[in-house]
Amino acid sequence: MHVLVINCGSSSVKYVLFDGDENRVLEGKRERLGPTSGERAETHQQAIAAILDSLGDHRVDAVGHRVVHGGADFFESQVIDAPVRAAIERRIPDAPMHNPFSLAAINKAQEALPDIAHVAVFDTAFHARMPRRARTYAIDQDVADTYGIQRYGFHGISHQYAAGIAAKFLERPLEDLRLITLHLGNGASATAVEFGRSTETSMGNTPLEGLVMGTRSGDVDAGVLLSLLRSGEFDVDQLDDLLNNKSGLSGLSGMGNDLRDIQQAAADGDSRARLAINVFVHRARKYIGAYAAAMGGVDAIVFTGGIGENSASMRRRILQRLEFLGCVLDEDRNIDASVQTDEDYALITTGRSRVEALVVKTNEELMIARETVKTVSKARAPVALSVPIAISARHCHLTEETFAALFGQDATPTPIADLSQPGQYACAETVDIVGPRNKIEGVRLLGPLRPSNQVEISTSDEFHLGVDAPVRASGNVRGSAPIVLVGPQGIVKLQEGLICAWRHIHMRPSDAEAFGVENGDEVSVAITGGERDLILGDVLIRVHENYALEMHIDTDEANAAGLGQGARGHLSASDVDEATLVYTGLDETALVH
Ligand code: AMP
């Protein structure tokens, strides 16, 4: 596949055309674009038109667009259609210097090349599965939810690429490695890549947080912004300008953002230049320590980006005093380190260093091209359909007779919340269930009353109660486990009725037709987007006119996938509510994505 990569910045567009062997057939850059470059500057659309013109007769099978902000919507690259375009547009307020231009470029390129796939490769996607504890700011969560305030992380394309290259050079699987990748350039960020996944990264809700950058401040006490606003001397735009354009190496040194100039001035004794270097280095080292602690160790530290690749002195300063971590720099190797091509890498630690440090050349364009090929190929693969998931906490269904014995002859169930399946509801009534070892209090009754008793628990509950409950489809309780129920008005000893519910998907006949399955079929379901991807086999298909499409799993299964609980009666929707239904009969490789 010949892929045109378009990397759109706020005032420039870089492009590379790769052939099927990842050779760069054509490349170039158009600069000084857009509103920040003056009134008569070329627009991004004009730049794209000129780039497409310059391709001449070259073959292009797909276009990969770098998109800075995909928010929490995207865990991976996407073929660009109307919903993807809309999602990029929704993120414009969060990435005002990037997303509008990417969108303009995408629209122009799609207009000019309407018959081929265009793929969005997001800087945020690699970080989208960071654990919740790392994503969450400690502010009022209602405010956070309302305004989408969470840590997204950026530079993901570069961190993912650098981690992959490091694993290759270290000749170890990425899944075995705890890496700290440092992308140090005009923009700078650090990422903890723990067994192949980003579990912490220094940029946050916007690309402003974290390390010291060329002109961006990185971490600043939010109280400072409040003070400056209250002073009346700064409005929001001035603060924006201060933190994004007048800070970082530039603000510290007072002589611009090019590190080479700052290093020269520092060597000549300029104290501001020296301070700029010290603050930059200190911050980076601090993050390395933090990420090693967060991961419980580190196997390698990877430098990339203009500064990371080129400045031996900055690498040396950053790695100083990290011997306690087991990272011992080899100064000769560090000075000799040179990474001119993708095939280059340089190990800069000594043979006795337990933690390796290495330098790799970032190649975001190649990563975007690879992602584009992968995404287009996947889109052509057999369709996978998605189904919402609900997590069933333990609950019971009772007969009229059992209900009367537990709650009194004149009692009737008290509905308190409708469930997603039509006609089903959670009741105010709860029972205690008592096993040989322990009891569980407050097990919710679901209505309406049924012809047979059924108590559904998880495997963990089984151990707690000291019972052995079979895995059964709902309604199939013959020969299942006995259990004692305690209500406010009486006790009932059930001879059978205790089961672990067989995970299942409710669907209407029309859904079944779309999925190509029938009632009673068993399928596999890949759950992605939680904290831990999980493929569940033996998922039962239940088809009925009255069902709503939904997969039901129990709390053990939800915990295994790292899915969280929301609240919807006893069946609570998870915050990750999409699973991919994979047809039975597909082979293992089809299951993996
Ligand atoms: P990037 O944004 O990745 O292109 O990185 C740009 C930054 O890398 C600028 O601050 C440059 O001054 C810095 N840089 C590039 N080459 C060198 C070098 N040989 N020594 C020090 N800094 C460098």
Side-chain angles (χ1 to χ4, degrees):
M1 200 181 289
H2 292 223
V3 180
L4 174 67
V5 172
I6 296 181
N7 185 347
C8 214
S10 49
S11 63
S12 68
V13 179
K14 276 197 260 177
Y15 64 97
V16 183
L17 178 61
F18 288 94
D19 69 12
D21 296 321
E22 298 188 344
N23 297 312
R24 289 168 174 249
V25 179
L26 265 182
E27 62 187 298
K29 186 174 185 180
R30 296 187 80 88
E31 294 180 279
R32 286 190 270 281
L33 311 178
T36 54
S37 307
E39 270 175 27
R40 306 209 306 177
E42 191 178 37
T43 65
H44 286 74
Q45 290 97 317
Q46 287 166 334
I48 296 293
I51 291 168
L52 296 175
D53 265 357
S54 73
L55 296 178
D57 291 337
H58 283 288
R59 173 179 150 194
V60 181
D61 302 314
V63 185
H65 298 265
R66 175 184 180 210
V67 178
V68 164
H69 209 324
D73 298 324
F74 300 115
F75 300 98
E76 50 193 17
S77 308
Q78 302 286 324
V79 172
I80 302 171
D81 54 13
V84 171
R85 263 198 307 274
I88 296 170
E89 196 167 355
R90 274 201 303 280
R91 290 290 163 192
I92 287 179
D94 302 316
M97 298 307 289
H98 290 97
N99 276 27
F101 306 117
S102 297
L103 206 55
I106 287 168
N107 289 339
K108 187 74 196 170
Q110 281 193 317
E111 192 186 300
L113 300 168
D115 300 325
I116 59 175
H118 292 247
V119 172
V121 183
F122 300 99
D123 262 327
T124 43
F126 183 49
H127 306 298
R129 290 198 188 120
M130 275 196 301
R132 202 166 308 171
R133 73 192 73 163
R135 287 199 311 255
T136 306
Y137 287 108
I139 60 170
D140 181 326
Q141 290 300 285
D142 291 338
V143 175
D145 290 345
T146 307
Y147 294 95
I149 298 175
Q150 63 163 78
R151 312 189 63 252
Y152 293 110
F154 298 87
H155 280 158
I157 300 167
S158 178
H159 287 291
Q160 190 173 8
Y161 180 79
I165 295 288
K168 182 176 144 201
F169 290 139
L170 292 170
E171 297 182 349
R172 289 176 61 186
L174 195 51
E175 293 70 29
D176 285 351
L177 287 168
R178 287 167 301 184
L179 303 173
I180 298 172
T181 50
L182 297 167
H183 178 110
L184 306 178
N186 213 12
S189 63
T191 294
V193 185
E194 193 172 345
F195 309 128
R197 285 177 55 169
S198 163
T199 55
E200 248 297 359
T201 194
S202 58
M203 285 178 169
N205 188 254
T206 71
L208 186 54
E209 193 180 352
L211 301 182
V212 177
M213 307 184 216
T215 61
R216 279 171 268 172
S217 61
D219 296 335
V220 170
D221 178 357
V224 171
L225 313 187
L226 302 180
S227 304
L228 291 177
L229 280 174
R230 284 200 188 104
S231 74
E233 306 276 321
F234 287 82
D235 64 17
V236 173
D237 289 336
Q238 286 165 318
L239 273 189
D240 189 332
D241 189 38
L242 172 75
L243 298 172
N244 278 302
N245 304 324
K246 295 186 174 146
S247 297
L249 288 175
S250 174
L252 285 163
S253 69
M255 62 180 61
N257 61 347
D258 195 313
L259 180 68
R260 286 163 289 202
D261 299 338
I262 297 169
Q263 286 177 322
Q264 186 55 54
D268 295 340
D270 185 295
S271 59
R272 284 187 67 176
R274 287 183 175 178
L275 180 66
I277 290 171
N278 286 339
V279 176
F280 184 100
V281 165
H282 172 77
R283 184 88 52 88
R285 193 190 302 131
K286 192 168 83 169
Y287 269 88
I288 292 174
Y291 288 1
M295 292 192 288
V298 55
D299 299 301
I301 298 167
V302 189
F303 288 90
T304 193
I307 295 172
E309 291 165 29
N310 296 304
S311 177
S313 74
M314 293 301 264
R315 291 192 301 257
R316 186 187 65 245
R317 287 167 185 271
I318 289 169
L319 293 182
Q320 261 171 18
R321 302 168 71 183
L322 291 184
E323 285 85 359
F324 80 98
L325 265 184
C327 183
V328 186
L329 185 76
D330 183 320
E331 187 49 30
D332 291 337
R333 286 180 176 171
N334 184 40
I335 288 171
D336 291 344
S338 158
V339 286
Q340 301 305 322
T341 72
D342 305 335
E343 300 307 314
D344 290 338
Y345 81 103
L347 192 68
I348 56 171
T349 34
T350 67
R352 67 186 168 87
S353 185
R354 272 188 294 115
V355 174
E356 318 258 36
L358 41 102
V359 185
V360 302
K361 184 172 157 53
T362 193
N363 192 340
E364 287 170 301
E365 284 76 24
L366 180 58
M367 185 79 193
I368 294 167
R370 286 180 182 165
E371 282 288 304
T372 302
V373 172
K374 197 169 91 187
T375 307
V376 170
S377 311
K378 202 165 102 181
R380 289 180 188 152
V383 217
L385 301 168
S386 74
V387 51
I389 301 174
I391 304 164
S392 297
R394 60 179 83 91
H395 62 271
C396 62
H397 304 275
L398 301 178
T399 63
E400 274 183 33
E401 190 189 351
T402 309
F403 183 82
L406 293 170
F407 294 95
Q409 289 304 323
D410 299 327
T412 49
T414 320
I416 51 168
D418 285 339
L419 301 180
S420 54
Q421 296 306 313
Q424 306 271 312
Y425 48 88
C427 302
E429 290 78 11
T430 61
V431 298
D432 298 343
I433 58 177
V434 184
R437 285 188 57 206
N438 286 300
K439 70 173 179 176
I440 296 176
E441 295 178 351
V443 176
R444 177 84 42 207
L445 171 68
L446 300 193
L449 298 175
R450 288 189 175 186
S452 54
N453 296 301
Q454 181 171 305
V455 182
E456 298 180 36
I457 59 170
S458 69
T459 307
S460 299
D461 293 340
E462 273 187 277
F463 288 113
H464 182 70
L465 293 168
V467 293
D468 189 8
V471 175
R472 289 289 176 81
S474 183
N476 180 6
V477 290
R478 221 154 60 95
S480 59
I483 190 73
V484 176
L485 306 181
V486 180
Q489 300 294 327
I491 295 177
V492 174
K493 289 185 183 171
L494 297 181
Q495 293 310 310
E496 62 182 22
L498 185 72
I499 63 168
C500 290
W502 187 351
R503 50 186 171 244
H504 56 275
I505 300 173
H506 292 279
M507 59 174 71
R508 277 183 276 270
S510 55
D511 301 318
E513 199 182 331
F515 285 139
V517 293
E518 290 180 3
N519 190 44
D521 277 357
E522 289 170 38
V523 298
S524 297
V525 175
I527 301 174
T528 56
E531 294 203 353
R532 292 190 278 172
D533 290 354
L534 187 71
I535 294 175
L536 294 172
D538 316 320
V539 181
L540 183 66
I541 297 290
R542 310 199 63 172
V543 183
H544 194 279
E545 204 66 68
N546 294 340
Y547 286 159
L549 178 66
E550 195 168 65
M551 175 170 167
H552 291 177
I553 59 178
D554 71 19
T555 44
D556 281 358
E557 291 157 339
N559 289 341
L563 299 183
Q565 289 277 19
R568 265 209 280 157
H570 104 291
L571 289 180
S572 40
S574 68
D575 65 341
V576 179
D577 57 2
E578 293 267 293
T580 304
L581 173 64
V582 183
Y583 299 113
T584 42
L586 289 187
D587 62 22
E588 287 294 310
T589 49
L591 285 178
V592 174
H593 54 70

